[in-house]
Amino acid sequence: MYKRSQVFAAACMGLFVFGMTLITLGSILPALTVKFETKGLNPGLLVSVLPLGILAGALVFGPVADRYGYKSLLIASIFISALALEGLAFTGSPTLLYVCIFFIGMGGGIINGGGSALVADISPHNKGASLSQLGVFFGIGALGMPLLLGVLSKHFQYPVILSSVGFFMLLPVVYCFFIVFPPPKQSAAVPFKEGIKLLKEPALLLASFFLFFQSGVEALVNNWTTTFLQYKVNASEQEALLALSFCLAGLTAGRLLLGWLLKRISSYVVMIISLSVVLAACFVLYAAHSYPVSFVALVIAGAGLAAGFPVLLGYLGQLYPRLSGTAFSIAFVIALLGNTLINYLFGIINSNPGPGSLPLLLAAAVTCMFVLLVLLRKKIGTRIKW
C-alpha cells in the first residue's frame, strides 16, 4: 500500500526538476551561442526544439501511466532529463546539442503531465488545492535555476554547474525506487481506443481549450514581457528581466496561497476572481506609462494566472478518474498547441502594429477563458465539486 505523503513528495521533486530544466536553455543560450558560433548553431531552431520535446512527452505519458503506472514513468523521465542535462553541459556537437534539448523537453513533458495526473489520482478531495501545492515546486525550480547560475557562474563555468545539477537530479530517481506508487488503473492494453473516445467528450475539450488559452497567455508573458516593457516604458534590460522574475514569483506565491484558498472557497469563485484580476491587470498594463505601474501590474497578473492549470486539471481528475493520465495527456497537448500558436501569432503582431499591443491580446485570450469556463460549468453541472 502506498503512502500519499511519500508519493506526493516524489511528484513535487519531479516538478522541481522540470522547473529547473525548462528554464535552463534560456539561462545559458548566450553562452551556447558563443561556444558554437563557428559550428553552425541555429539559436532559433534550438529554442524551437524544446517545445517539440515537451509536446512529445505530453503525448506519451497519459496512456503509459494509465496502463503501467507512474513509478517507472517518473524514474525514466527524470533519468532522461538528468542524462540530457549532462550532454548539454559537455557536448561539442551542434547535432547532439539539439538532441539533448529535445530529450530535456521530452523528459520534462512526461514529468509535468505525469506528476500532475499522479497528484490528482492520490487526492480524493481538493484536487485543485493539491495541484496548486505541486505547482509551487515548479515555480521554485524555475526561479532557482537562473539564481543558481547567476551566483555560481562567478566561480565556475556553466558546464560544471549543469553537470552538478544533473548529478543531483538522480537523487529523486533513487527516492522513487524505494517507495510504493499507486497500481496501474488499466490491466489490459495501453488505452489508445479509450483515449480516442475521450476526444469526443465536450467537457474535456472545453477544459482543454481553456488551458489552450491559459498556456498561450503564460507564453506571451514569459516570452514578450521584456520586449513590451522596453518598448512601452523605456525599461532597461535589467529592469525588464526583474519585472519578469517578479511576475513568475507572483505566480508561485499565488499557487502557494491557492493551496489554502481552494480548501475554503469554491474553485469556480476562485477562477472568476483570478480571471478578473488578470483582465484588470491587462488594462492597467496597457494604460501604464511608467515602469513602477507596469511592474506592479505584471506581478498581479502573475498571481492571477496561478489558478488556471491546478483548478482545470482538478476538474479533469474528477471527471475522468479511470483514465486520468490519458485525459491529462490530451489536455496538455492542446495546451501546448495554444502556447505555440498564440506565441507565433504575437510574433506576427510584434512586427505590426508592435509590442505595445501585448496587453490587448492577453485580455482577448482571458476573455475567451471566461467564456469557456462558463460553458464548462453549464456542461458539467453537478458532476463535480465546484
Side-chain angles (χ1 to χ4, degrees):
M1 184 66 180
Y2 72 89
K3 293 184 178 179
R4 184 188 181 278
S5 59
Q6 293 178 347
V7 175
F8 183 74
C12 291
M13 290 178 191
L15 265 288
F16 178 79
V17 166
F18 175 56
M20 293 191 77
T21 55
L22 186 67
I23 302 299
T24 296
L25 178 58
S27 301
I28 66 168
L29 186 58
L32 289 174
T33 303
V34 172
K35 180 179 178 179
F36 290 91
E37 64 181 347
T38 61
K39 297 183 179 180
L41 179 70
N42 185 332
L45 177 61
L46 188 65
V47 172
S48 301
V49 168
L50 184 66
L52 285 177
I54 296 173
L55 183 60
L59 283 167
V60 166
F61 84 83
V64 174
D66 286 338
R67 173 61 184 90
Y68 298 104
Y70 293 101
K71 182 168 186 170
S72 298
L73 193 71
L74 271 182
I75 289 173
S77 57
I78 295 173
F79 183 78
I80 287 170
S81 297
L83 192 63
L85 200 64
E86 295 292 341
L88 179 63
F90 294 114
T91 183
S93 164
T95 301
L96 188 55
L97 185 65
Y98 294 130
V99 172
C100 290
I101 293 297
F102 177 83
F103 279 106
I104 284 175
M106 185 175 180
I110 295 172
I111 293 169
N112 186 33
S116 299
L118 174 59
V119 168
D121 283 354
I122 64 173
S123 304
H125 310 291
N126 297 313
K127 293 182 187 294
S130 297
L131 286 163
S132 297
Q133 293 168 351
L134 178 69
V136 170
F137 287 87
F138 168 80
I140 294 172
L143 289 168
M145 191 61 175
L147 179 63
L148 187 68
L149 285 165
V151 172
L152 295 183
S153 61
K154 298 176 183 178
H155 308 284
F156 305 99
Q157 293 185 331
Y158 83 84
V160 176
I161 301 171
L162 293 190
S163 177
S164 300
V165 171
F167 176 78
F168 282 104
M169 280 168 54
L170 296 176
L171 294 178
V173 172
V174 175
Y175 176 79
C176 289
F177 264 115
F178 289 99
I179 67 169
V180 179
F181 279 73
K185 296 189 288 294
Q186 302 293 320
S187 58
V190 176
F192 287 119
K193 290 184 179 179
E194 291 84 349
I196 293 172
K197 290 179 182 178
L198 284 179
L199 290 171
K200 301 178 182 179
E201 284 281 321
L204 175 57
L205 292 177
L206 286 169
S208 297
F209 276 99
F210 178 100
L211 296 178
F212 175 98
F213 288 104
Q214 170 85 24
S215 184
V217 168
E218 291 182 11
L220 290 177
V221 171
N222 291 339
N223 296 329
W224 295 102
T225 292
T226 54
T227 303
F228 168 79
L229 291 174
Q230 289 172 323
Y231 171 86
K232 185 70 184 292
V233 295
N234 295 318
S236 67
E237 183 178 355
Q238 291 74 20
E239 288 174 332
L241 289 171
L242 181 66
L244 177 58
S245 298
F246 271 82
C247 180
L248 293 172
L251 179 70
T252 303
R255 286 190 174 153
L256 188 61
L257 179 62
L258 274 174
W260 178 83
L261 275 178
L262 290 173
K263 294 177 182 178
R264 294 163 175 79
I265 303 174
S266 159
S267 59
Y268 183 75
V269 172
V270 169
M271 281 306 310
I272 293 296
I273 293 172
S274 297
L275 292 176
S276 300
V277 166
V278 178
L279 198 59
C282 289
F283 289 120
V284 171
L285 198 61
Y286 182 74
H289 294 287
S290 69
Y291 173 76
V293 174
S294 300
F295 182 97
V296 172
L298 279 169
V299 174
I300 292 172
L305 289 171
F309 269 98
V311 170
L312 270 292
L313 291 176
Y315 293 161
L316 292 179
Q318 293 181 67
L319 287 168
Y320 308 103
R322 195 176 68 85
L323 290 169
S324 58
T326 305
F328 275 41
S329 193
I330 292 169
F332 273 110
V333 168
I334 293 175
L336 286 167
L337 290 174
N339 183 304
T340 302
L341 293 175
I342 293 177
N343 197 48
Y344 177 76
L345 173 63
F346 191 73
I348 298 172
I349 294 173
N350 185 50
S351 299
N352 185 24
S357 57
L358 175 65
L360 297 180
L361 184 57
L362 290 173
V366 173
T367 302
C368 292
M369 291 159 68
F370 260 116
V371 173
L372 288 165
L373 183 66
V374 172
L375 291 175
L376 180 64
R377 176 155 187 169
K378 288 183 178 179
K379 187 67 184 178
I380 296 175
T382 57
R383 288 170 60 190
I384 64 170
K385 182 182 178 180
W386 293 92

